[in-house]
Amino acid sequence: MSGWSRSFLNPSLVSALEAGRSFEEWLGGRIPGVDYARISADQSTRSAVLAKGREAGTGIRHQHEENIETADAFGVAIVRFYEDNGLTAAQPTVVRPAFVEVVDALHCRRTTDGHPVQALVATERERVWRLAADFARVRQALTVTEEGLFIERQAVFDLCSTDSTGSASACAEEVWRTKERIERHIRRRAIDGGTPGGRRRFGWLCPDPRSGRKINMLRDPDEWPVLREMIESALRGTSWNDIARKLNAREIRTASGNRWSGATVRQALTNPVMCGYRAIHGQLVQDPTTGLPVVGQWDTPATVDEWQALVDLSRRRGANRGTRLTNGSPPAGQEPRSFRKYLFSGYLRCGARRDDGTTCDAKMGGCARPTANNPDNAVYVCAALDCGGTARKMSVTSTATLRRSFSPC
């Protein structure tokens, strides 16, 4: 099986030593540890097509980045990085040189450079071992002294506990871990600015394996002008439904070949990919070092200001899409999640009083109903960004009465 292995000192440690600082000064009271990353098959080596769109070692790099974040959270200083790329851990006949070196370093509590280490950091235990024999080697190395630690996914793993999980539970756990691994991979690709996957979006070209073009990466010369017209029309105040009617009248279909509706127009134009941003689980993907939204590498039909204006327009129209606000402004980098709709969503008007004495009068959207455990949950919440109006009780039945008398609790 093809693959490669290597290990290297932490670049910050190298810089400190070159500057004349001692190892203890660089350590600064932190726990010395090592980082191990492994991947069974590097995507860039699977085919020439994949190699065109993926840098070699990307998966290994992503694991190192996560391990650094975990180490910082636990006060661990990564002394040396180890990696086995393109090497499986499920075959007893496959030798992983970096794994052997990690075990030796932990067993001796010292790297080949003579630096002390006592902790092992990895994204998950399956990256370190798959076979019982390898687990035994890791456990023996880390338990030579009491201070040995193995940290995975922001948690300390108990190496001394016995694993009596049945095969069914093991399979369920593996499925869960695979899903979590995919989600972490998607997040890391987004941080790298990778193109958004999934189905083709209106305005972008489909993938081309021969040239290495990815889906939703380059503009479609036929649909791009139409997408731009939709943005400009919405910014002029045209309703979502009117835009959809005009598109259907011109027999322009969505990327899936369906007719447009007001909802599909709004969803397309308020998607952060319009300006190069990505959102995962309702939050904009941010650069870990700067805290700013990551700008993707695909063609974008709108500027950030235009996209934000479309999002604000959607909220003002009572589309019931907005993060629940408590201070009048959304959390940094967070994009909205949908309100669940109830009977009067979009019809109820907020009666909260503003600082200037006026009434908010914005549309209210369905939220979470009160339950036995959470009796204070609001049924409806105000969609306005600068208002925190909520309501839990209803004693009127007509929309007209609701518009006049409904007020926050």
Side-chain angles (χ1 to χ4, degrees), residues 301-312:
T303 65
V304 174
D305 291 339
E306 288 176 332
W307 169 74
Q308 187 60 62
L310 291 169
V311 173
D312 293 341

Side-chain angles (χ1 to χ4, degrees), residues 16-63:
L17 295 177
E18 290 176 348
R21 299 172 59 194
S22 65
F23 176 81
E24 289 71 19
E25 289 175 337
W26 171 82
L27 191 62
R30 295 175 294 176
I31 301 172
V34 293
D35 167 309
Y36 180 74
R38 182 194 64 81
I39 195 167
S40 297
D42 194 332
Q43 293 287 345
S44 66
T45 64
R46 288 187 172 181
S47 70
V49 171
L50 290 173
K52 292 180 180 179
R54 187 179 178 89
E55 178 186 356
T58 299
I60 289 290
R61 176 170 59 82
H62 286 170
Q63 291 183 45

Side-chain angles (χ1 to χ4, degrees), residues 228 231 235 269-278 284-285 292-296 298-313 315 333 335:
R228 186 60 204 173
I231 294 172
L235 292 174
L269 298 187
T270 58
N271 193 315
V273 300
M274 289 287 128
C275 66
Y277 289 168
R278 286 279 299 278
L284 288 181
V285 177
L292 299 175
V294 174
V295 180
W298 58 90
D299 291 340
T300 55
T303 65
V304 174
D305 291 339
E306 288 176 332
W307 169 74
Q308 187 60 62
L310 291 169
V311 173
D312 293 341
L313 178 65
R315 290 167 176 163
E335 271 309 292

Side-chain angles (χ1 to χ4, degrees), residues 8-328:
F8 54 93
L9 279 176
N10 191 324
S12 68
L13 173 58
V14 174
S15 299
L17 295 177
E18 290 176 348
R21 299 172 59 194
S22 65
F23 176 81
E24 289 71 19
E25 289 175 337
W26 171 82
L27 191 62
R30 295 175 294 176
I31 301 172
V34 293
D35 167 309
Y36 180 74
R38 182 194 64 81
I39 195 167
S40 297
D42 194 332
Q43 293 287 345
S44 66
T45 64
R46 288 187 172 181
S47 70
V49 171
L50 290 173
K52 292 180 180 179
R54 187 179 178 89
E55 178 186 356
T58 299
I60 289 290
R61 176 170 59 82
H62 286 170
Q63 291 183 45
H64 284 319
E65 292 170 352
E66 290 190 31
N67 292 342
I68 291 172
E69 294 175 2
T70 300
D72 291 341
F74 281 83
V76 174
I78 301 298
V79 176
R80 195 172 185 88
F81 295 88
Y82 299 84
E83 56 191 48
D84 286 313
N85 190 24
L87 295 174
T88 181
Q91 296 294 333
T93 57
V94 175
V95 177
R96 293 179 285 149
F99 171 77
V100 174
E101 191 176 351
V102 163
V103 173
D104 290 343
L106 292 171
H107 191 274
C108 298
R109 288 293 187 267
R110 193 168 296 274
T111 67
T112 54
D113 309 285
H115 301 303
V117 292
Q118 65 185 58
L120 171 62
V121 182
T123 55
E124 53 192 2
R125 69 199 71 164
E126 287 82 4
R127 298 298 183 184
V128 185
W129 70 79
R130 285 276 188 174
L131 304 174
D134 290 338
F135 167 68
R137 296 173 65 183
V138 174
R139 179 168 60 179
Q140 183 183 26
L142 283 171
T143 56
V144 169
T145 57
E146 294 182 354
E147 71 270 19
L149 290 174
F150 174 46
I151 305 172
E152 61 159 356
R153 294 197 319 276
Q154 302 290 335
V156 176
F157 181 77
D158 186 3
L159 290 161
C160 297
S161 64
T162 56
D163 186 4
S164 58
T165 307
S167 58
S169 299
C171 292
E173 182 180 4
E174 181 64 21
V175 170
W176 175 80
R177 289 182 179 276
T178 301
K179 179 181 178 181
E180 187 183 54
R181 186 182 307 160
I182 292 173
E183 290 181 351
R184 293 201 309 270
H185 170 68
I186 292 174
R187 177 176 176 268
R188 287 294 165 180
R189 281 193 67 250
I191 291 176
D192 285 346
T195 57
R199 295 182 297 177
R200 187 183 78 86
R201 291 181 171 85
F202 183 84
W204 284 270
L205 291 171
C206 58
D208 184 3
R210 292 171 298 178
S211 64
R213 184 183 71 211
K214 298 180 180 180
I215 193 170
N216 301 322
M217 178 179 178
L218 300 179
R219 66 186 68 185
D220 186 306
D222 296 325
E223 296 178 351
W224 199 260
V226 178
L227 184 58
R228 186 60 204 173
E229 287 178 18
M230 295 166 60
I231 294 172
E232 293 175 353
S233 181
L235 292 174
R236 288 195 299 267
T238 307
S239 69
W240 313 124
N241 288 331
D242 285 344
I243 294 175
R245 279 192 288 268
K246 292 177 181 178
L247 293 173
N248 293 330
R250 295 162 59 184
E251 297 186 353
I252 297 175
R253 294 293 183 259
T254 67
S256 303
N258 300 320
R259 290 174 60 84
W260 290 91
S261 67
T264 55
V265 170
R266 177 184 58 77
Q267 291 168 2
L269 298 187
T270 58
N271 193 315
V273 300
M274 289 287 128
C275 66
Y277 289 168
R278 286 279 299 278
I280 297 179
H281 298 311
Q283 289 190 332
L284 288 181
V285 177
Q286 298 176 332
D287 188 312
T289 58
T290 65
L292 299 175
V294 174
V295 180
Q297 302 169 0
W298 58 90
D299 291 340
T300 55
T303 65
V304 174
D305 291 339
E306 288 176 332
W307 169 74
Q308 187 60 62
L310 291 169
V311 173
D312 293 341
L313 178 65
S314 177
R315 290 167 176 163
R316 289 197 303 270
R317 288 176 174 174
N320 299 326
R321 296 187 65 83
T323 302
R324 183 72 194 105
L325 305 174
T326 56
N327 318 341

